Amino acid sequence: MPVKKLWKTCYELSRGHHLVYVFSLLSQILMVFCSVFSTFLIKVLLDTLGGLDELLSAPFFEQWVITILTQGRGPGYLIANQIYILPVAVVSFGAMTAIASFLRMSLRSYAASAINCSMQLTVFFHLESVSYPYFKKAKGGDLIQTCTRDLDVIRKFMIADLSNFNYTIWMVLFCFLFLLGLSWELTLVSMALFPVMFIYSFLLIKEVRKRYRKTDDSEARMTDRIQENIGAVRLVKAFNSEKREVENFENYLSDFRKNFISWRKMSSFFFASTDILVFGAKLISLIYGIYLASQGIINPGTLVVSFLFVNMMVWPIRDTAMSLSNLGQYLASIDRIRLILDEPLEDLESGLTPSISGHVVFNDVSFHFPDGDKDAISHVSFEVKAGQTVAIMGKTGAGKSTLALLLTRLYETDSGSIKIDDYDIKTIQKHHLRKNVVPILQDPFLFSKSISENILMANQKADLPQLKLATRVASIDETIANFKDGYETQVGEKGMSLSGGQKQRVAIARGLIAESPIIIFDDSLSAVDTETDLKIRRNLSTLERKLTTFIITHRVSTAKDADLIIVFEDGKVSEMGTHQELLLKPGLYKRIAEIQGRMV
Ligand code: ADP
């Protein structure tokens, strides 16, 4: 049931703030009641001015009101004291309306900000806690849209539209009940146009929205065009394309203008025609009310107050029809939000937490990606002793990086086993495993923070000497020292831009400071020049603690000193041995070594 899903999601997203939300709706109901009741008091006032007969023939609930206002003394007492009782009552209820309105606005603002935070946090928490393969399945752009636009749609639904529904329902209900008590004929005639107005507004606003979306889309296309042209300015200039690009942009512009005019026309028509219906409903009520009054069926007090009630009902009905027509958009947004919320969270906490020295054994491991058509790695077996360095080589797509994904359990093996220090990694707690096996990726990402914050995110407890050691081993210490702000230099989007090699070395320092016994350089040394590569590897060998080091690389010069070199071809291990051993075999490694040897 889509509507049930909508409720469930709103309930989940606003967890912890339900009470304040409900109170904001209750204060709105109180506000509506007070405003309807203070309007009704105008009838009591007019009837009182009309004299005793008028009051005695008033509907039963008006009699109750008089009894309450006069504390049981009756209509005669009210007529004698109307000079103060009624104005005081009208002002008191007006003041209560104002207090309830203030209460509602305060609670609503509080609920709005609290719910907004809780929505963002709930979705962000989920995104941070789902497993890695989910991000491969879901498209990044879609996720960002869900976190921004879809959440905004639901926030508006909860804060604005639900409160509008609440307002309309109670306003129509209270006005309807009072109106019915005053004159059922007038109620029927006055409300006859309401369903027509509601359905008409509901259907027509959909067309307005459709045209608005088209305008929005063409505006987005224009923005994309501008963005692309700014990004590709060199290309445009290189091929003398300035004039063509401007002409092209004019097409986008005229498309936008066409859509914009069509949207504005439709929305003007919507507001004009629904206004006519609203005024039509009021006119019918007034004319029929005058007719009933001229026949003596209702008195002037009923005529005036009925007209006021109709006036109070019509506008919220039109607004609710407009909000309700958004239901399709709410449901679509909810579907996208549910794709995140329904994703199971990754279990990071259960499992063993043994101390790890770094002995790694792959035993007949096979794996294929959920959407892959063949095994990414197939029947892979090898052993690396604690403290050894193993180089993984092979062509692009041979399965090298998949090893790193499996070793950190971002994906689980399909068959075979991976053991670290004799523990099958599936039995080790994921948090613990990822503390002990650290990958350094080829394309390093630095957050918009300082260099030290970027490095320390791998180990919050590290002190300055540890920070300095990590940057020295990564051979980036001197570069950082030359920056004006040293370790506090801001990097990332809003900070200083580092070269690819510098970023890479900061990422290596970040990997090293984690002080894990197993480290994987996933093509990351290939991004630095050969000299720095050699320097970093030399620095690594001087470390007191011995690391089990996996180096995924294309360079023979990087691989040749490793204790073990494993060559991958098409997901399988094709060769394994030391540099000298592999040079004796007529395989891929020898061929690569010869080619790279010739290039030097
Ligand atoms: P390498 O690191 O040797 O370049 P990978 O380990 O990245 O190769 O990839 C091995 C194989 O798995 C390739 O055929 C690649 O296309 C495929 N592959 C990699 N990542 C995914 C993925 N997320 N989904 C499906 N197939 C993938």
Side-chain angles (χ1 to χ4, degrees), residues 43 47 51-60 62-63 75 299 302:
K43 161 139 172 74
D47 287 353
L52 196 59
D53 287 348
E54 207 73 89
L55 282 187
L56 289 174
S57 60
F60 67 97
E62 191 175 337
Q63 308 280 358
N299 67 5
T302 304

Side-chain angles (χ1 to χ4, degrees), residues 136 369 371-372 374 376 395-402 411:
K136 295 285 148 189
F369 286 97
D371 53 348
K374 62 180 174 65
K395 293 182 187 156
T396 306
K400 305 181 297 291
S401 299
T402 307
Y411 286 94

Side-chain angles (χ1 to χ4, degrees), residues 421-453:
D421 291 4
D422 289 336
Y423 291 95
D424 189 319
I425 58 168
K426 286 185 182 170
T427 64
I428 300 178
Q429 186 203 62
K430 279 189 182 171
H431 252 325
H432 186 68
L433 179 72
R434 290 175 194 166
K435 234 189 261 172
N436 284 280
V437 184
V438 167
I440 300 169
L441 308 178
Q442 182 189 22
D443 190 13
F445 183 84
L446 298 185
F447 288 91
S448 297
K449 298 176 180 175
S450 66
I451 293 181
S452 67
E453 281 173 305

Side-chain angles (χ1 to χ4, degrees), residues 149-305:
R149 223 187 239 210
D150 291 326
L151 277 189
D152 204 40
V153 167
I154 299 306
R155 187 183 58 78
K156 277 197 196 119
F157 169 71
M158 289 193 70
I159 303 303
D161 291 337
L162 265 188
S163 144
N164 284 348
F165 294 153
N166 187 51
Y167 180 82
T168 306
I169 288 169
W170 292 99
M171 180 60 90
V172 171
L173 187 72
F174 290 142
C175 288
F176 172 75
L177 289 178
F178 275 106
L179 209 54
L180 201 63
L182 294 175
S183 160
W184 65 266
E185 298 109 303
L186 190 56
T187 310
L188 279 186
V189 173
S190 303
M191 295 181 79
L193 262 188
F194 284 10
V196 180
M197 192 173 78
F198 184 84
I199 295 169
Y200 179 80
S201 309
F202 181 80
L203 295 178
L204 201 66
I205 195 76
K206 281 194 164 207
E207 182 56 31
V208 177
R209 292 233 166 78
K210 204 166 99 195
R211 294 187 187 196
Y212 168 75
R213 265 195 294 278
K214 272 187 162 177
T215 315
D216 202 34
D217 288 349
S218 50
E219 194 173 12
R221 280 195 293 274
M222 255 170 32
T223 317
D224 285 351
R225 204 72 217 150
I226 297 172
Q227 235 169 21
E228 234 175 61
N229 267 268
I230 292 173
V233 65
R234 267 190 78 178
L235 201 68
V236 172
K237 294 215 174 291
F239 293 106
N240 293 318
S241 304
E242 293 93 335
K243 198 159 165 260
R244 208 165 351 146
E245 288 301 319
V246 172
E247 279 164 11
N248 205 340
F249 188 69
E250 273 177 349
N251 293 336
Y252 283 90
L253 205 57
S254 73
D255 180 58
F256 169 72
R257 206 171 45 212
K258 200 177 80 207
N259 286 327
F260 181 80
I261 291 171
S262 149
W263 164 51
R264 294 308 295 196
K265 263 191 197 160
M266 195 39 134
S267 84
S268 313
F269 178 70
F270 169 81
F271 284 107
S273 57
T274 49
D275 278 2
I276 290 173
L277 278 176
V278 165
F279 287 119
K282 283 162 53 171
L283 193 66
I284 289 174
S285 141
L286 190 61
I287 290 175
Y288 191 62
I290 291 172
Y291 167 73
L292 291 179
S294 69
Q295 297 296 308
I297 300 171
I298 60 170
N299 67 5
T302 304
L303 173 66
V304 171
V305 172

Side-chain angles (χ1 to χ4, degrees), residues 132-133 136-137 367-377 392-405 411 522-523 552 554 568 570-571:
Y132 179 74
K136 295 285 148 189
K137 192 169 68 183
F367 168 76
H368 85 274
F369 286 97
D371 53 348
D373 47 4
K374 62 180 174 65
D375 278 357
I377 62 167
I392 315 275
M393 290 193 71
K395 293 182 187 156
T396 306
K400 305 181 297 291
S401 299
T402 307
L403 287 187
L405 294 174
Y411 286 94
D522 190 348
D523 237 0
I552 297 172
H554 290 99
F568 271 79
D570 213 11

Side-chain angles (χ1 to χ4, degrees), residues 560 562-567 575-587 589-590 593:
K560 72 180 185 4
D563 299 299
L564 178 69
I565 299 168
I566 305 174
V567 183
E575 294 164 70
M576 198 161 20
T578 60
H579 176 68
Q580 294 306 333
E581 286 164 0
L582 294 183
L583 283 184
L584 298 175
K585 293 184 191 166
Y589 186 81
K590 186 165 190 261

Side-chain angles (χ1 to χ4, degrees), residues 360-409:
V360 179
V361 178
F362 271 62
N363 186 14
D364 200 25
V365 174
S366 296
F367 168 76
H368 85 274
F369 286 97
D371 53 348
D373 47 4
K374 62 180 174 65
D375 278 357
I377 62 167
S378 171
H379 302 289
V380 170
S381 301
F382 62 85
E383 178 175 0
V384 187
K385 299 225 165 64
Q388 280 191 330
T389 296
V390 53
I392 315 275
M393 290 193 71
K395 293 182 187 156
T396 306
K400 305 181 297 291
S401 299
T402 307
L403 287 187
L405 294 174
L406 295 178
L407 206 48
T408 46
R409 281 183 73 195

